[in-house]
Amino acid sequence: PDNSAGSIMTAEFIDLKNHITSIIDLQKNSLAERNINICYEYRGNNLALINTEAIDLILINLISNGADAILEGEGKIEISCIHIKGQSIEISVRDTGVGIPPEIQDDIYNAIKEIAREGSYAVIFDTANSLNMLYTDPRHDRSDDVLRKLGYKN
């Protein structure tokens, strides 16, 4: 695929269950070395119209962030995908890591939402953990804007 800055991401019909399995398989060894178990559940029709470039970036980033949130000892990352044919696909990623402190979660969400609205962005990626990113256009990284909105950066 053309990964140039001007490329348009397109959707294609794929076997989503196997596609997510292959993403997980690429991560399993490095997670096992850190005593992190990864579990995957898929329900519904396997065939789905998906933007594979976007789903790869998102899942790899979520798995990586989950692993980073697990401090020591054994941890767990759970991925669930529920596909209701012709209606929706819900993918959730949960981990046993420390997470974001509850007292600032709403502030972070509201800052991101406001930045997305002001900039007419469909998606905002956090590329702070860029070592695990396969590809992302730098113009989509709004981490500094969020930090400025929260008053952490000038």
Side-chain angles (χ1 to χ4, degrees):
D2 177 16
N3 287 335
S4 65
S7 71
I8 297 174
M9 295 191 273
T10 57
E12 58 186 299
F13 280 102
I14 64 165
D15 182 330
L16 184 58
K17 180 179 182 180
N18 287 335
H19 188 78
I20 294 174
T21 299
S22 68
I23 293 169
I24 292 169
D25 286 345
L26 291 172
Q27 307 279 326
K28 272 189 175 178
N29 288 340
S30 64
L31 293 172
E33 289 172 4
R34 296 175 57 191
N35 280 336
I36 299 172
N37 185 31
I38 189 163
C39 305
Y40 174 46
E41 174 191 19
Y42 189 98
R43 287 185 279 163
N45 188 352
N46 288 10
L47 188 64
L49 182 63
I50 294 291
N51 179 317
T52 56
E53 184 178 344
I55 201 74
D56 291 355
L57 287 172
I58 291 166
L59 280 177
I60 290 168
N61 196 32
L62 288 172
I63 292 168
S64 174
N65 288 346
D68 288 345
I70 297 169
L71 299 178
E72 288 185 24
E74 292 186 22
K76 186 175 184 180
I77 297 173
E78 298 175 341
I79 299 174
S80 171
C81 183
I82 301 168
H83 181 198
I84 302 169
K85 186 178 178 183
Q87 293 182 30
S88 65
I89 298 171
E90 178 184 305
I91 300 174
S92 65
V93 179
R94 294 188 174 106
D95 62 71
T96 57
V98 293
I100 298 171
E103 61 271 11
I104 65 168
Q105 290 176 3
D106 286 341
D107 292 338
I108 293 170
Y109 173 77
N110 291 330
I112 292 169
K113 186 169 79 171
E114 190 174 327
I115 290 165
R117 196 175 320 127
E118 290 170 358
S120 298
Y121 301 116
V123 176
I124 294 179
F125 292 102
D126 175 5
T127 60
N129 195 356
S130 61
L131 293 175
N132 292 313
M133 282 290 195
L134 299 176
Y135 171 80
T136 186
D137 188 333
R139 67 183 175 170
H140 296 296
D141 183 2
R142 296 294 172 235
S143 301
D144 288 342
D145 294 341
V146 173
L147 293 174
R148 275 191 285 282
K149 279 279 187 212
L150 295 170
Y152 293 111
K153 190 171 186 171
N154 292 329

